[in-house]
Amino acid sequence: MTEERRFNLVDEAWLPVAGAGRASLREVFSRRWPGVPGGTPLEKIALFKLLQAIAQAAHTPADEAEWLALGPDGLAEACLAYLERWHEVFWLYGPQPFLQFPAVERAKIVPYGSLMPHIASGNTSVLFQSQVEQPLDDGQKALLLLVNMSCCFSGKKVDKTVAFTPGIEKSSSAKAGPAICAQGLLHSFVLGPSLRETVWRNLLTREELAGERLYENGVGTPPWERMPQGEADEVAEALKRSLMGRLVPLARFYLLAADGVHSVEGIQHPDYLQGGMVDPSVTGDRSQKKPKMLWADPQKRPWRMLPSLLSFLRPDSAQDMHCLQLDWCLPRLKRAGQAAPDELKEAAIWSGGIRLSSNAGEQYLSGSDDVVESEISLPLTELDQEWFLNLRTVMEQVEKLGKHIYAAVASYYRDEKAENGAQWAERAVREFWQLAERHFPALLAACDPEEPDEREEVIGALRGCVLGCYARACPRETARQLAVWARHRPYFPRKQTTGKG
């Protein structure tokens, strides 16, 4: 019996917004919600991509002039009209459920918890109550479905016996989603003061997409307008070569059920090793034969990677890390700010992702693996080459300070012939980076070419953090300890260059 239509994503509150609860898709574009989606970093990535896909389907401007004339309010009106026109395809249940495949009903059912990285499933031991699967409401199921379209882990939890395209043979382990790949890619988006402005700031133009030539089918058609009938049919192949196929990639074919989800490997999208195909929100150097990507790293929060994220500001950045989303949107936003300086003085970047381990084709969280995210506010009017060179120089010095504290603490414990020196050194480094993050806004402000003294002041404060971390990590209670402590205590010359000025 066909299940009745219920829970429409356009009408029902399901989409988490940071600090503001849940919203329906209609509410996202009709009210001024805070500028960042809520949830985990993976949920935020999926929601950024969904909202951008809706906006690109509603109105992809031809060029920068049309984008600027459209504005966030014009885009919101276009998105509302689009959602009304396509209202019927956003039902979560029914004969044509949103982004689902009724034919997958013959595949085995896996529990919802197997799709959540923090839930213990299979033979995984339960260590905490938070690892036990809890009942999900329809809004949570919709979000879980969306996340696993692009951020699904590789592994054997899908039914490999079911295929929809003749000649397709499923491997024993399903491929990771294109937003994850091998270790967990880092994603970045431009933020606005409201969610509708965030979507407008990240909207790509046809001119930008044509100039990159990465998505040969251009914007493409969102899958909810025309769903593929198999893993490699005409529609699926078109999605592989379009922007829509990166924003909503259908890496799994799902059908929600009462006690779990029918799960089959979906479209196998090419990744960065196959022609350099990437999401516009990931950062990498695709100029080499084997592209080099920027991976999410819980031990190195995204603000420390800012020189790589902003490398487009370098005059010689052809062979360097690039994030298309930032390369296109930030310069365009700066030019818009020059035309309306009172409205666009600052910008912000959200960056986040998840670090994963893998074994025999199965991805999982292990050891220090975890999600990571940062929000970085930028002085939009100052983003130029000179500012960037100051940023890069200062960040290089800060990274050296992190290495300095590790070497000093490790040397102290080695001299003391202690066995746990590496652990104390790692602990001191973690403390240093926690303290350094508090100084990061001042560091950004000090990258102004007119503020060389402020740069020296910030670096001086961070040197003080190094000395404090060293003192807390290395005891000096005995005469011998005091002698060793003094011998390895970090030393800084009185004057060091901290950038152009």
Side-chain angles (χ1 to χ4, degrees), residues 444-462:
L444 284 180
C447 290
D448 184 339
E450 304 299 324
E451 302 294 344
D453 293 338
E454 285 193 25
R455 290 195 291 282
E456 184 62 37
E457 183 177 338
V458 173
I459 292 298
L462 291 173

Side-chain angles (χ1 to χ4, degrees), residues 162-315:
V162 178
F164 298 96
T165 299
I168 287 285
E169 292 186 7
K170 300 293 181 72
S171 65
S172 60
S173 180
K175 185 178 178 182
I180 295 290
C181 289
Q183 304 171 40
L185 292 163
L186 186 74
H187 292 255
S188 299
F189 299 89
V190 181
L191 298 181
S194 66
L195 197 50
R196 56 200 283 180
E197 185 154 345
T198 290
V199 178
W200 173 70
R201 291 185 177 194
N202 287 283
L203 190 67
L204 305 181
T205 68
R206 297 187 186 278
E207 182 180 56
E208 290 163 342
L209 293 170
E212 170 59 30
R213 301 183 183 277
L214 183 62
Y215 313 112
E216 57 184 270
N217 282 3
V219 176
T221 302
W224 52 78
E225 289 188 20
R226 188 185 179 197
M227 289 288 284
Q229 300 304 308
E231 300 88 345
D233 65 4
E234 180 183 355
V235 177
E237 292 301 316
L239 279 172
K240 291 181 182 180
R241 300 188 298 274
S242 71
L243 174 64
M244 287 296 178
R246 304 307 300 192
L247 298 178
V248 190
L250 303 184
R252 296 287 185 269
F253 290 168
Y254 288 132
L255 180 65
L256 301 180
D259 54 348
V261 57
H262 301 273
S263 177
V264 171
E265 185 173 13
I267 301 173
Q268 294 191 10
H269 290 263
D271 61 23
Y272 69 99
L273 293 175
Q274 300 165 305
M277 195 69 173
V278 295
D279 294 1
S281 54
V282 304
T283 302
D285 178 4
R286 294 179 290 113
S287 64
Q288 308 300 322
K289 184 176 182 180
K290 184 177 180 180
K292 180 181 179 182
M293 305 306 294
L294 199 60
W295 303 100
D297 186 355
Q299 306 302 314
K300 187 175 182 180
R301 288 172 58 78
W303 65 268
R304 293 173 58 188
M305 306 178 191
L306 189 58
S308 294
L309 298 178
L310 299 182
S311 63
F312 65 88
L313 291 169
R314 284 183 53 187

